[in-house]
Amino acid sequence: MILGIGSDLANIERIQRTLDRFGDRFKNRVFTEVEQRKAERRRDVAGTYAKRWAAKEACSKALGTGLAMGISWKDMAVSNLRTGQPVMEVTGWAKERLAEMTPAGHTAIIHVTLTDDHPWAQAFVVIEAHPNNV
């Protein structure tokens, strides 16, 4: 069963301006060390950050809270499987919220997809509950 759906569209040029203006202060506030290492290795640094920004926004929407209700940016983190597929991990308050919204006898799975076409980066997040006995 679907527990939540979220999407977000981020402007890569806006993220680049934010990186130029605030640099490490912005990166350290919003992105985990793993996310920063990934972005800094890429040719399109701002595009990589923008996709992860959009994923965090989309995840907060799928959790039904948005970022205004106590979720920290770093409570949601995007990494990649060896295949390149993005995955979302939640910690802290986001993990607590996910547990609250997951029915008993189910396991929550967060699906995330990212794309970009300059100047836009987009993310979709779907949170699914799978029955444990199936």
Side-chain angles (χ1 to χ4, degrees):
M1 97 182 55
I2 303 297
L3 299 178
I5 300 171
S7 68
D8 193 66
L9 185 66
N11 185 288
I12 296 169
E13 293 169 359
R14 178 175 160 247
I15 296 296
Q16 181 64 65
R17 287 191 302 271
T18 303
L19 289 166
D20 292 342
R21 184 170 179 197
F22 298 106
D24 287 343
R25 187 169 140 215
F26 169 65
K27 291 181 215 175
N28 293 331
R29 181 174 162 254
V30 176
F31 302 100
T32 66
E33 289 182 23
V34 170
E35 291 172 313
Q36 290 181 49
R37 281 195 306 271
K38 172 78 171 183
E40 297 299 327
R41 286 193 315 259
R42 303 297 299 262
R43 185 171 38 108
D44 183 9
V45 172
T48 303
Y49 280 122
K51 285 186 281 190
R52 277 146 180 76
W53 171 280
K56 291 168 186 271
E57 288 273 7
C59 185
S60 73
K61 293 171 186 175
L63 288 168
T65 63
L67 284 157
M69 293 183 67
I71 279 184
S72 164
W73 286 102
K74 288 185 173 181
D75 284 348
M76 301 164 287
V78 178
S79 60
N80 296 83
L81 300 177
R82 291 178 56 121
T83 61
Q85 177 184 346
V87 293
M88 177 71 71
E89 180 183 348
V90 292
T91 58
W93 196 89
K95 186 174 184 176
E96 292 172 21
R97 172 66 182 143
L98 182 61
E100 288 172 8
M101 63 191 288
T102 304
H106 288 72
T107 299
I109 300 169
I110 302 174
H111 303 277
V112 60
T113 186
L114 309 172
T115 191
D116 65 292
D117 187 6
H118 195 86
W120 301 107
Q122 186 173 33
F124 288 96
V125 171
V126 175
I127 301 175
E128 175 186 18
H130 254 246
N132 290 336
N133 59 355
V134 175

